[in-house]
């Protein structure tokens, strides 16, 4: 501080060079954003392949560590065993499952028709109280009949693209197997891109991210199996048609936190509502009870030690992924967010904490 008062802050001189550098940074960020947007499908498929590799590593790593089996042989053995189990289950359950899926497809339009009739009744009541508007009741019903299927179709864009889905799944599976076999080579290649003084930290962050992803997949698989079995048993006890198919839907959609359970309850409630309102109430209570067990008992046990994701952040991130990739974006949103949080903490937050701790540490006297 000067004798005449506080020293005024230094004024930043805005030169042409500063403006040019700022413009280049903005242009670079804009180009990067556009590149990521254009290549979002490739990035999406790459991360799905990473999920496949993490799942296969759950089995391949123990085979390599305990039995000395090469990773290629371990991956092949894992695929053969899993494929055989899935094929056996399909042979046993497909006749019943296909019939139940057909029943769900036939029953949902009836549920939508009932919903349309209920909404029309409300509209009629409101119209009777407030007077006639610009649209008649028939116009409202016609609009609902056209728009509801459109909304459902936009929510599940995968319908009608079976060939593309199969081709993409085969490609993703192939890349995932390659990542499983060449895991060390790929990790070493990523670390080599980093300056030497940061390679140790980056290597540790990649190990932590891979471990988090494997634990998340294992825990989620246990939750999916638990929810699927509980849903099937509960619906079977309530004598709801298509209990096996509805249980399978509930188990698969458990992979999507928050939104998945809500989506899985819709077809079950729809079929129960066609039976009777009382059955629908029991189904709602069943799904609420299952989600309470899964959220308060199963998930805390199987997800122990995994990065904690705030619910608000999870909802926002899933919404963003759904806007960018459609319905399938919901399936990869949470594991991608978990990996991102691990990398941010290890590569950004931890260095800042270490630097702050070093700066605040007491310094030894000069003559000590």
């Amino acid at each position: 501080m000067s004798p005449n008062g506080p020293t005024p802050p230094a004024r930043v001189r805005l030169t042409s060079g500063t403006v040019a550098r700022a413009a280049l940074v903005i242009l670079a960020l804009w180009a990067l954003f556009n590149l990521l947007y254009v290549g979002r499908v490739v990035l999406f498929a790459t991360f799905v392949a990473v999920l496949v590799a993490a799942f296969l590593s759950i089995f391949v790593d123990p085979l390599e560590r305990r039995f000395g089996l090469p990773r290629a042989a371990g991956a092949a053995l894992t695929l053969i065993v899993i494929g055989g189990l899935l094929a056996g289950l399909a042979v046993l359950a497909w006749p019943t499952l296909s019939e139940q899926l057909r029943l769900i497809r036939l029953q949902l339009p009836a549920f939508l028709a009932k919903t349309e009739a209920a909404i029309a009744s409300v509209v009629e009541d409101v119209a009777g109280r407030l007077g006639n508007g610009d649209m008649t009741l028939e116009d409202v019903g016609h609009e609902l009949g056209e728009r509801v299927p459109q909304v459902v179709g936009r929510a599940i864009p995968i319908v009608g693209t079976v060939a593309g889905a199969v081709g993409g799944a085969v490609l993703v599976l192939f890349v995932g197997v390659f990542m499983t076999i060449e895991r060390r080579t790929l990790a070493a290649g990523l670390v080599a891109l980093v300056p030497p003084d940061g390679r140790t930290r980056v290597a540790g962050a990649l190990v932590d991210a891979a471990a988090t992803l494997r634990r998340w997949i294992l825990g989620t698989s246990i939750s999916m199996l638990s929810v699927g079995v509980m849903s099937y048993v509960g619906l079977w006890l309530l004598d709801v048609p298509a209990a096996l198919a509805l249980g399978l839907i509930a188990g698969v959609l458990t992979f999507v936190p928050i939104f998945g359970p809500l989506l899985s309850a819709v077809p079950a409630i729809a079929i129960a509502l066609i039976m009777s309102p009382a059955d629908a109430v029991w189904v709602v209570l069943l799904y609420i009870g299952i989600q309470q067990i899964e959220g308060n008992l199963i998930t805390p046990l199987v997800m122990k030690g995994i990065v904690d994701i705030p619910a608000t952040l999870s909802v926002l991130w899933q919404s963003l992924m759904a806007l960018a990739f459609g319905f399938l974006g919901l399936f990869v949103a949470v594991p991608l967010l978990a990996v991102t949080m691990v990398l941010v903490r290890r590569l950004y937050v931890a260095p800042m904490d270490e630097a702050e701790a070093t700066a605040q540490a007491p310094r030894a006297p000069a003559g000590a």
Side-chain angles (χ1 to χ4, degrees):
M1 180 182 295
S2 64
N4 297 327
T7 303
R11 302 179 66 180
V12 179
R13 299 184 60 184
L14 192 63
T15 64
S16 58
T18 304
V19 175
R21 286 193 294 270
L24 287 176
V25 170
I26 294 174
L27 287 175
L29 292 175
W30 178 82
L32 177 61
F33 174 80
N34 280 274
L35 179 63
L36 292 176
Y37 182 79
V38 171
R40 66 190 188 278
V41 176
V42 177
L43 295 175
F44 175 83
T46 301
F47 187 73
V48 175
V50 171
L51 290 177
V52 172
F55 175 76
L56 294 177
S57 295
I58 295 174
F59 307 97
V60 174
D61 288 352
L63 291 175
E64 181 188 29
R65 185 171 54 252
R66 297 181 183 179
F67 304 103
L69 197 65
R71 296 190 67 82
L77 178 61
T78 301
L79 287 176
I80 291 173
V81 173
I82 294 177
L85 290 175
L86 292 177
L89 290 175
V91 170
L92 294 176
W94 180 247
T96 302
L97 188 61
S98 61
E99 180 64 24
Q100 293 186 4
L101 289 174
R102 188 183 67 84
L103 176 63
I104 293 175
R105 189 177 70 249
L106 294 176
Q107 294 284 3
L108 280 180
F111 168 74
L112 294 177
K114 279 194 172 184
T115 304
E116 178 184 344
I119 296 176
S121 176
V122 174
V123 172
E124 183 179 13
D125 180 64
V126 173
R129 294 182 180 183
L130 300 180
N132 295 327
D134 296 332
M135 295 181 64
T136 64
L137 181 60
E138 290 76 13
D139 294 332
V140 174
H142 180 69
E143 287 289 327
L144 288 174
E146 288 186 348
R147 295 184 180 274
V148 170
Q150 293 175 2
V151 173
V152 175
R154 286 196 297 267
I156 311 177
I158 192 174
V159 176
T161 61
V162 177
V166 172
V170 172
L171 178 61
V172 166
L173 178 61
F174 176 80
V175 176
V177 172
F178 174 79
M179 288 181 174
T180 304
I181 298 173
E182 300 294 336
R183 184 190 65 182
R184 294 184 181 88
T185 302
L186 294 174
L190 290 175
V191 173
L193 299 175
V194 181
D197 57 347
R199 289 176 180 173
T200 300
R201 183 181 295 277
V202 171
L206 291 177
V207 170
D208 286 352
T212 297
L213 196 56
R214 286 194 297 270
R215 291 198 302 270
W216 186 88
I217 290 176
L218 181 60
T220 302
S221 300
I222 295 174
S223 296
M224 291 170 63
L225 179 62
S226 302
V227 170
V229 171
M230 288 189 295
S231 300
Y232 165 66
V233 173
L235 293 171
W236 178 73
L237 291 175
L238 292 175
D239 200 23
V240 176
L244 179 61
L246 293 172
L248 178 62
I249 293 173
V252 171
L253 290 180
T254 302
F255 195 85
V256 182
I258 301 175
F259 293 108
L262 297 176
L263 294 175
S264 67
V266 171
I269 297 173
I271 292 178
L273 188 61
I274 293 175
M275 297 168 57
S276 71
D279 290 323
V281 171
W282 281 111
V283 169
V284 170
L285 294 177
L286 171 67
Y287 273 75
I288 292 176
I290 291 174
Q291 290 308 311
Q292 291 299 314
I293 295 174
E294 191 271 336
N296 297 311
L297 179 61
I298 298 175
T299 296
L301 290 176
V302 301
M303 296 292 187
K304 186 177 182 180
I306 301 179
V307 59
D308 186 25
I309 301 177
T312 303
L313 180 60
S314 177
V315 171
L316 293 176
W317 180 251
Q318 288 184 76
S319 301
L320 179 63
M321 291 294 291
L323 290 175
F325 301 104
F327 182 75
L328 292 180
L330 293 173
F331 282 86
V332 301
V334 174
L336 178 59
L337 180 60
V339 170
T340 302
M341 291 181 65
V342 171
L343 294 177
V344 169
R345 290 179 181 179
R346 286 296 305 268
L347 301 179
Y348 180 71
V349 178
M352 288 197 306
D353 292 342
E354 293 173 4
E356 183 180 1
T358 302
Q360 294 180 354
R363 298 181 179 179

